[in-house]
C-alpha cells in the first residue's frame, strides 16, 4: 500500500476508514498549561494530521473541539475530513452510563458525532463522576465488570449515529474474544488501541487482531514521558536506540521518524502526543521514504517485550489486561 501525506487511511471492518497517522492529546491537567491542547491541534491540522485522539479523562476535550471547529470555520478542513476518537472511561461502564458519557464528550467538543468511540480500559471502576474513586485507605474502588453489557451499549451509540465506529483499548486476546463471541453481536470492534513500538512490538496480539480484521492503534509509539508515577523506568529510552539512529542517518530522518514509519508501514496506526510545534511537524514527515524489508525485520528484532505503560496501580483488578501473555 503506497502511503502519502494526503492519503494514508486504512479500511475498518464496518466500512469506514481511519488515517494511520494521528496526534495524541493526552495531558496531565495538573502540569499542562491551559490552551496548549488547543494550539497543538491547530498546528497539527495545518501540518496535515486528520486523525485526532482524545478522551474525556484528558480534561482538554473542550480545547481540542475548539481547535477543530476553528479550522473548519476557516475552511482549512471539513468535518468529514477529521477523524476524532473519544473514549469511555472506567467509571462509566454500566450500560445506562455509556450513552450519557458519549453525549458529554459530544457536548464538550460541540460536535454531533465522533468518528470512533472506544472502551478505554477493560476495567470498571465504581460508577460516577469521580474518575479515580478511592476508599478511606486510598485503595482504588473497582466495580463488577461486564464487558459484553458495556459493548451492547456501545453498539447502541453507533446505531444512534453518535459515533461512526466503535472499538476498544488495552484489551487482551481473552477480552477481545469475549466480545467477538458474544451472542447477538451486532458490531465488531474496529480497533484495539494498545502500546506498540520497537521495544514492544506486540507480534502475537497484532497477528490475532489482523486475523479478526481489527486495526491496531499504537499508543506511546515513541516510548513515553519518563513520569515515574505511571511509567516503567527500567526500560531504556527508545529514541536513543543505536539501530533507529543509524537507519535514520541513511534516510536523513530522526529515530522518532523511523519508529513511527516502522509501525505505519506495518499497518499499525500511531498517535504520538506532542505539544511542541516543531515535533508535531517532524512526526508527520514520514511519507517521503519507506523502510526495506530487512530494516523492518531488524527493527522488529529490537523487541524486548517491555511495557512502558504497565498500569500497575490497578493490577489487582479482576480484568487487569496485562497478566495474560497477550
Amino acid at each position: 500500500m503506497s502511503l502519502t501525506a494526503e492519503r494514508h487511511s486504512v479500511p475498518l471492518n464496518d466500512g469506514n476508514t481511519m488515517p494511520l497517522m494521528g496526534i495524541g492529546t493526552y495531558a496531565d491537567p495538573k502540569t499542562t498549561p491551559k490552551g496548549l491542547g488547543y494550539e497543538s491541534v491547530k498546528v497539527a491540522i495545518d501540518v496535515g494530521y486528520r486523525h485526532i485522539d482524545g478522551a474525556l479523562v484528558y480534561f482538554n476535550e473542550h480545547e481540542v473541539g475548539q481547535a477543530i471547529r476553528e479550522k473548519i470555520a476557516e475552511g482549512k478542513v471539513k468535518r468529514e475530513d477529521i477523524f476524532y476518537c473519544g473514549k469511555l472511561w472506567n467509571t462509566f461502564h454500566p450500560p445506562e452510563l455509556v450513552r450519557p458519557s458519549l453525549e458529554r464528550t459530544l457536548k464538550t467538543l460541540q460536535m454531533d458525532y465522533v468518528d470512533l468511540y472506544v472502551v478505554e480500559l477493560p476495567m470498571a471502576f465504581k460508577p460516577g463522576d469521580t474518575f479515580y474513586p478511592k476508599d478511606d485507605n486510598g485503595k482504588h474502588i473497582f466495580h463488577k465488570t461486564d464487558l459484553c453489557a458495556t459493548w451492547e451499549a456501545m453498539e447502541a451509540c453507533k446505531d444512534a449515529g453518535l459515533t461512526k465506529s466503535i472499538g476498544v483499548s488495552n484489551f487482551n486476546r481473552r477480552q477481545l474474544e469475549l466480545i467477538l463471541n458474544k451472542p447477538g453481536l451486532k458490531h465488531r470492534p474496529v480497533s484495539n488501541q494498545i502500546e506498540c513500538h520497537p521495544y514492544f512490538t506486540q507480534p502475537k496480539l497484532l497477528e490475532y487482531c489482523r486475523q479478526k480484521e481489527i486495526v491496531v492503534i499504537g499508543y506511546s509509539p515513541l516510548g513515553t514521558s519518563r513520569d515515574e508515577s505511571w511509567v516503567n523506568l527500567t526500560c531504556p529510552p527508545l529514541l536513543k536506540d543505536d539501530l533507529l539512529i543509524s537507519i535514520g542517518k541513511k534516510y536523513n530522518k530522526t529515530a522518532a521518524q523511523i519508529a513511527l514509519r516502522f509501525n505505519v508501514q506495518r499497518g499499525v496506526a500511531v498517535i504520538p502526543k506532542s505539544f511542541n510545534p516543531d515535533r508535531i511537524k517532524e512526526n508527520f514527515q514520514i511519507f517521503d521514504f519507506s523502510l526495506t524489508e530487512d530494516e523492518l525485520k531488524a527493527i522488529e528484532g529490537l523487541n524486548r517485550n517491555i511495557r512502558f505503560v504497565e498500569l500497575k496501580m490497578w493490577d489487582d483488578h479482576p480484568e487487569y489486561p496485562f497478566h495474560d501473555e497477550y
Side-chain angles (χ1 to χ4, degrees), residues 268-283:
V268 174
V270 288
I271 43 169
K273 177 231 130 175
S274 179
F275 291 150
N276 173 320
D278 293 331
R279 249 184 261 135
I280 291 171
K281 289 179 191 131
E282 177 194 296
N283 288 345

Side-chain angles (χ1 to χ4, degrees), residues 206-225:
L206 209 56
E207 183 49 37
Y208 176 77
C209 287
R210 278 191 185 130
Q211 286 169 7
K212 301 294 179 189
E213 298 181 309
I214 296 169
V215 173
V216 167
I217 304 170
Y219 69 72
S220 303
L222 304 175
T224 55
S225 68

Side-chain angles (χ1 to χ4, degrees), residues 32-41 60 62-63 66 275:
T32 308
K34 284 193 176 18
L36 212 50
Y38 162 75
E39 292 297 343
S40 302
V41 171
N60 61 2
H62 57 291
E63 292 187 16
Q66 186 187 349
F275 291 150

Side-chain angles (χ1 to χ4, degrees), residues 157-172:
C157 289
K158 176 173 163 70
D159 289 339
L162 300 178
T163 180
K164 301 267 190 200
S165 298
I166 49 177
V168 297
S169 177
N170 294 299
F171 275 47
N172 62 32

